[in-house]
């Protein structure tokens, strides 16, 4: 209880200062979601304890931070991903240094302390042909798997959407332009994929529209906008997307405008569920989260003879989903606020992290519903945990470890000890568990919201 009031005091004290409005990123490994945020006053990249499971334990007093060989610039945007290799968890961070280059820094988890150990760092935006990176770009990373490697999306100085890629064979190299549009109202980027390489990249386009780039089976990026679509349906990475005209809105069926959309949110988020429904998140001018989804319907058209059936996959248009109340989706402290998103396709789970009431809150979608949001757990040197727990459903009662948090620490330590015992001989560091699809309730339930 004393701990709770301390936290409340901390929250109140930090409310008028801008120190919490740092850039942040989140990702999901097999042991749960992880979170990183740049401390605006120290510039340090603070993270949750890397052995936390399910709910990140995010120490603030004192914080734990990533060691860096290339200092991140103040106010850098962050992107991050990670994986569990049966021995330990890895984190792979992307940020801009003071030269505006994109740096990739790789870490492994020390399960004894919950701190990450630095493995290696390199500048990845200096490879042949890569255009100079825009100082305000929001980078985004998608980790496609062990063979396919990473794709990192960023804006060049002209604001065109570009990417660099990493494969086992080629190491880092320039991937080419994704969308050549240089007339953008905002610099946020987020990306996610399903299946093999089916990557979706979302950016703001203008004060009314978002731009979605999706890698097609033919290897080109297909660009579309919503709510107002392009006049042409054949807009790709080859097109000059700056000048592509919108469809004539008078002939269109009325589209719903993006609610509370500034055209320049600090962050965007994409999540894909087990039904392959894609969801986009942003925080609006009203400080509330907003989400739009495109549902997929699969129908089998009977064909002549055995095996003659064809499967028809239809994607609906992006459709706004109803809001949740403030206990599930607390208001952010600022309009169009920064947030971080982590999602896990296999379980259709989503977490959003953002600053609300002076502290970082965790918004959770699990098991087919939005849970009551909680403040991100804080964990100090004395080994006491405060903050979340109460918020995360209330049923666990007051201070101390919630059942969930006990499992979290326990699993982390257990796995770490097991890893040391088994002494798995590490292969190359990018060995990643491929994602597996499956069918769960997520899309169905979200669908019922609408
Ligand atoms: C940033 O770091 C300073 C110094 O460690 C600390 O006092 C402050 O609480 C940190 N801010 C946040 C938001 O964690
Ligand atoms: C990629 O290449 C750089 C130098 O060219 C090297 O330092 C780095 O270790 C390589 N990364 C991997 C994962 O092989
Ligand atoms: C850029 O986009 C804005 C908003 O859509 C538009 O009004 C403006 O004419 C565009 N500028 C150019 C150079 O295309
Ligand atoms: C991704 O899925 C869409 C919709 O099914 C499809 O049109 C596209 O070609 C796919 N892209 C890849 C790379 O498989
Ligand atoms: C468009 O993307 C495809 C696939 O990545 C690539 O082969 C092609 O070179 C790209 N075109 C341009 C103009 O970048
Ligand atoms: C789409 O655009 C590409 C490149 O401009 C062109 O080769 C292709 O024929 C177009 N396809 C259609 C259906 O218009
Ligand atoms: C794309 O179109 C814009 C607006 O029409 C123009 O200013 C720009 O030069 C074009 N870019 C290229 C690469 O042709
Ligand atoms: C640790 O516990 C001691 C004694 O209960 C207390 O005085 C101290 O403030 C605690 N430290 C932190 C960082 O909470």
């Amino acid at each position: 209880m004393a701990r709770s009031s301390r936290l409340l005091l901390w929250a109140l004290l930090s409310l008028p200062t801008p120190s919490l409005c740092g850039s942040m990123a989140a990702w999901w490994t097999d042991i749960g979601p992880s979170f990183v945020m740049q401390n605006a006053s120290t510039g340090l990249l603070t993270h949750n304890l890397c052995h936390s499971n399910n709910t990140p334990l995010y120490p603030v007093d004192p914080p734990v931070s990533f060691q860096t060989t290339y200092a991140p610039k103040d106010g850098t945007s962050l992107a991050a991903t990670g994986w569990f290799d049966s021995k330990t968890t890895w984190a792979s961070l992307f940020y801009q240094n003071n030269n505006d280059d994109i740096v990739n820094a790789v870490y492994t988890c020390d399960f004894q302390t919950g701190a990450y150990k630095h493995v290696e760092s390199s500048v990845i935006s200096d490879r042949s042909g890569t255009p100079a990176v825009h100082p305000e770009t929001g980078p985004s990373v998608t980790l496609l798997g062990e063979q396919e490697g990473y794709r990192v999306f960023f804006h060049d100085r002209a604001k065109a959407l570009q990417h660099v890629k990493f494969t086992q064979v080629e190491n880092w190299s320039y991937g080419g332009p994704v969308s050549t549009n240089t007339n953008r109202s905002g610099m946020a980027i987020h990306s996610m994929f399903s299946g093999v390489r089916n990557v979706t990249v979302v950016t703001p386009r203008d004060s009314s529209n978002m731009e979605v780039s999706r890698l097609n089976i033919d290897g080109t990026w297909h660009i579309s906008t919503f709510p107002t679509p392009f006049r042409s349906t054949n807009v790709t990475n080859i097109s000059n997307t700056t000048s592509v005209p919108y469809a004539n809105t008078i002939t269109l069926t009325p589209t719903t405008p993006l609610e509370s959309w500034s055209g320049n949110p600090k962050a965007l988020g994409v999540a894909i569920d087990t039904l392959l429904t894609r969801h986009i998140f942003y925080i609006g001018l009203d400080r509330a989260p907003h989400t739009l989804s495109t549902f997929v319907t699969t129908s089998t058209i009977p064909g002549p003879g055995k095996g003659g059936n064809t499967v028809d996959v239809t994607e609906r248009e992006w459709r706004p989903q109803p809001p949740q109340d403030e206990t599930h989706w607390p208001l952010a402290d600022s309009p169009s606020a920064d947030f971080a998103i982590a999602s896990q396709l296999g379980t259709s789970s989503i977490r959003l992290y953002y600053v609300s009431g002076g502290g970082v809150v965790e918004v959770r979608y699990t098991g087919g519903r939005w849970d009551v949001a909680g403040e991100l757990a804080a964990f100090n040197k004395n080994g006491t945990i405060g903050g979340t727990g109460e918020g995360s459903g209330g049923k666990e009662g007051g201070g101390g470890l919630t059942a969930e948090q006990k499992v979290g620490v326990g699993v982390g330590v257990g796995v770490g000890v097991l890893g040391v015992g088994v002494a798995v001989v590490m292969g190359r560091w990018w060995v990643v568990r491929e994602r597996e699809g499956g069918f769960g309730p997520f899309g169905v339930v979200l669908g019922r919201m609408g």
Side-chain angles (χ1 to χ4, degrees):
M1 297 305 163
R3 181 66 193 155
S4 300
S5 44
R6 263 172 51 88
L7 267 169
L8 186 64
L9 183 64
W10 166 78
L12 291 172
L13 286 175
S14 57
L15 196 57
T17 73
S19 65
L20 267 170
C21 303
S23 47
M24 49 183 91
W27 67 100
W28 207 298
T29 70
D30 282 359
I31 72 162
S34 291
F35 174 76
V36 55
M37 180 167 79
Q38 187 180 39
N39 180 310
S41 47
T42 62
L44 293 173
L45 306 180
T46 61
H47 63 78
N48 66 289
L49 297 180
C50 58
H51 53 38
S52 32
N53 162 288
N54 206 4
T55 295
L57 306 173
Y58 179 63
V60 291
D61 185 21
V64 186
S65 50
F66 285 108
Q67 285 172 13
T68 50
T69 47
Y70 300 87
K73 72 171 187 175
D74 286 343
T76 181
S77 291
L78 284 166
T81 184
W83 60 92
F84 181 71
D85 69 358
S86 83
K87 184 183 173 199
T88 187
T89 49
W90 293 71
S92 183
L93 283 193
F94 299 85
Y95 61 84
Q96 280 182 289
N97 64 12
N98 287 309
N99 202 25
D100 292 326
D101 294 317
I102 298 176
V103 174
N104 175 220
V106 180
Y107 303 85
T108 54
C109 180
D110 178 344
F111 277 107
Q112 301 308 313
T113 61
Y116 279 108
K117 290 180 293 191
H118 181 255
V119 176
E120 66 174 323
S121 289
S122 50
V123 168
I124 62 166
S125 56
D126 61 353
R127 305 304 146 100
S128 166
T130 312
V133 180
H134 195 286
E136 283 146 40
T137 188
S140 176
V141 58
T142 292
L143 181 55
L144 296 175
E146 188 181 341
Q147 298 303 322
E148 293 286 335
Y150 301 101
R151 302 293 180 274
V152 177
F153 303 93
F154 65 96
H155 292 108
D156 66 20
R157 295 250 161 135
K159 292 193 180 177
L161 182 61
Q162 302 279 353
H163 78 299
V164 289
K165 62 179 185 177
F166 177 89
T167 62
Q168 288 204 35
V169 177
E170 294 168 277
N171 200 314
W172 288 102
S173 62
Y174 175 47
V178 174
S179 165
T180 58
N181 175 19
T182 55
N183 187 17
R184 298 174 186 276
S185 58
M187 301 292 274
I189 310 174
H190 199 249
S191 57
M192 187 42 75
F193 83 108
S194 60
V196 181
R197 258 181 272 129
N198 203 320
V199 183
T200 295
V201 191
V202 184
T203 60
R205 183 172 175 95
D206 56 38
S207 57
S208 309
N209 296 286
M210 294 197 209
E211 183 181 288
V212 177
S213 306
R214 188 183 210 184
L215 191 62
N216 196 259
I217 198 87
D218 68 7
T220 60
W221 294 94
H222 282 211
I223 325 288
S224 59
T225 50
F226 73 91
T228 317
F230 286 139
R231 194 174 300 168
S232 165
T233 53
N234 188 25
V235 179
T236 68
N237 57 321
I238 298 157
S239 317
N240 180 344
T241 47
T242 305
S243 47
V244 176
Y246 286 125
N248 186 340
T249 46
I250 295 160
T251 60
L252 279 178
T253 48
T255 53
T256 318
L258 296 175
E259 203 183 324
S260 281
W261 173 250
S262 65
N264 187 15
K266 287 224 168 61
L268 283 174
V270 195
I272 302 178
D273 67 28
T274 52
L275 296 177
L276 304 184
T277 304
R278 293 179 295 163
H279 309 272
I280 293 178
F281 293 85
Y282 63 96
I283 292 177
L285 287 164
D286 58 0
R287 301 190 281 126
H290 293 267
T291 177
L292 300 105
S293 308
T294 167
F295 297 100
V296 180
T297 49
T298 311
S299 51
T300 307
I301 301 158
K306 196 169 181 252
N309 294 352
T310 54
V311 178
D312 184 39
V313 179
T314 318
E315 256 180 346
R316 310 268 290 275
E317 72 281 10
W318 289 98
R319 201 175 272 185
Q321 300 302 309
Q324 303 289 310
D325 65 32
E326 286 179 29
T327 58
H328 296 83
W329 286 3
L331 291 183
D333 285 356
S334 54
S336 303
D338 199 7
F339 70 95
I341 182 170
S343 65
Q344 191 185 38
L345 185 134
T347 59
S348 292
S349 301
I350 299 177
R351 300 284 191 278
L352 302 182
Y353 302 97
Y354 53 91
V355 178
S356 173
V360 179
V361 289
E362 184 186 55
V363 165
R364 310 178 176 103
Y365 186 89
T366 315
R369 66 189 175 94
W370 292 98
D371 290 337
V372 171
E375 198 172 320
L376 206 61
F379 185 104
N380 71 20
K381 258 186 186 158
N382 288 358
T384 53
I385 296 174
T388 194
E390 291 94 288
S392 54
K395 51 186 177 292
E396 292 92 350
L401 280 174
T402 63
E404 199 175 62
Q405 287 160 352
K406 278 180 191 152
V407 170
V409 176
V411 167
V413 172
V415 165
V417 170
L418 186 74
V420 173
V422 172
V424 178
V425 178
M426 275 289 296
R428 302 163 80 160
W429 62 258
W430 59 84
V431 171
V432 172
R433 288 195 46 167
E434 299 275 357
R435 287 155 172 270
E436 280 173 23
F439 286 90
F442 179 69
V444 174
V445 177
L446 262 185
R448 272 192 218 120
M449 285 162 39

